[in-house]
Amino acid sequence: MNTYEDLKKTAKECGFTHYTKLDISTLEFRQDIRDMCNAEKCRSYNKSWSCPPACPSLDEMQEKVKNYTNGIIVQTVGDLEDSLDWDGIMEVGAKHKENFGKMRENLSKKNPKLLAMGAGECKLCQLCTYPDKPCRYPDKIEISMEAYGLFVSKVCTDNNIGYNYGQEKIAFTSCFLVE
């Protein structure tokens, strides 16, 4: 079953620190956000199947999301020594990727059309095959919410979940949509 209670239980079991029901109608696929994924602002632009221009277009995403009725926003929030604690940021980011992978694997067993939107660039492969060969894991590719054109802080605000937890905290946010 795909009730919010089921999704919440799975999120907790997978190690996420925060989660809330996602109102699918709050998702706005914005070109101005997608435009931030460009060669001048992101080192992954045009270097991965999970990033623009290779990932689905905003129109494709809007069409795809119409089929979903339920979702959950998940976060991994961790402590930092200070706002410049790069090792701490990387550690919490790696934990989020681990949690995300566990939840995607768990949910995909019951939801073959699961739509998982991650945080940051895909890290499934050490070196992406883009553009020379097809993606090795098209069913597991991690496309970020931003690459889909979502303004993450607004998605959080619109769904009553925090985004900024203070100077000595870091939050990584992802979401899962189920039919």
Side-chain angles (χ1 to χ4, degrees):
M1 234 183 198
N2 290 322
T3 67
Y4 172 63
E5 290 304 315
D6 294 330
L7 294 172
K8 186 168 90 169
K9 180 180 178 213
T10 302
K12 185 176 182 178
E13 290 170 354
C14 291
F16 290 105
T17 55
H18 296 72
Y19 34 84
T20 195
K21 184 176 178 71
L22 172 63
D23 177 354
I24 308 293
S25 71
T26 65
L27 299 180
E28 283 181 68
F29 300 95
R30 297 172 42 172
Q31 189 61 51
D32 62 322
I33 301 300
R34 180 69 172 259
D35 288 345
M36 286 193 246
C37 296
N38 68 44
E40 295 170 7
K41 296 182 181 176
C42 181
R43 70 183 185 283
S44 299
Y45 179 80
N46 202 26
K47 294 181 181 158
S48 167
W49 289 111
S50 68
C51 296
C55 66
S57 71
L58 298 183
D59 290 338
E60 290 170 316
M61 282 310 302
Q62 287 174 338
E63 190 60 35
K64 191 178 221 181
V65 168
K66 289 179 184 177
N67 298 320
Y68 293 90
T69 57
N70 203 1
I72 188 168
I73 298 173
V74 294
Q75 293 179 327
T76 306
V77 179
D79 295 318
L80 302 175
E81 290 180 21
D82 56 47
S83 61
L84 301 175
D85 180 6
W86 185 249
D87 290 338
I89 293 168
M90 297 305 290
E91 184 178 316
V92 178
K95 181 66 176 163
H96 185 77
K97 291 278 187 192
E98 180 183 328
N99 296 344
F100 182 84
K102 284 184 209 173
M103 187 148 175
R104 183 188 54 230
E105 185 176 326
N106 186 307
L107 291 178
S108 65
K109 292 175 188 173
K110 299 174 193 167
N111 301 280
K113 294 183 180 178
L114 173 71
L115 179 56
M117 295 186 225
E121 63 186 305
C122 184
K123 299 275 190 184
L124 291 174
C125 302
Q126 193 168 6
L127 183 62
C128 186
T129 60
Y130 180 82
D132 302 319
K133 295 181 183 175
C135 176
R136 293 179 189 100
Y137 304 104
D139 295 336
K140 292 183 178 182
I141 192 169
E142 293 181 18
I143 299 175
S144 73
M145 293 174 70
E146 293 90 349
Y148 280 133
L150 297 175
F151 189 11
V152 179
S153 63
K154 184 173 183 333
V155 173
C156 291
T157 301
D158 289 348
N159 287 277
N160 302 309
I161 190 169
Y163 178 75
N164 184 342
Y165 293 90
Q167 285 186 341
E168 294 181 359
K169 299 273 188 189
I170 186 75
F172 288 86
T173 305
S174 297
C175 61
F176 294 89
L177 283 64
V178 294
E179 291 182 314

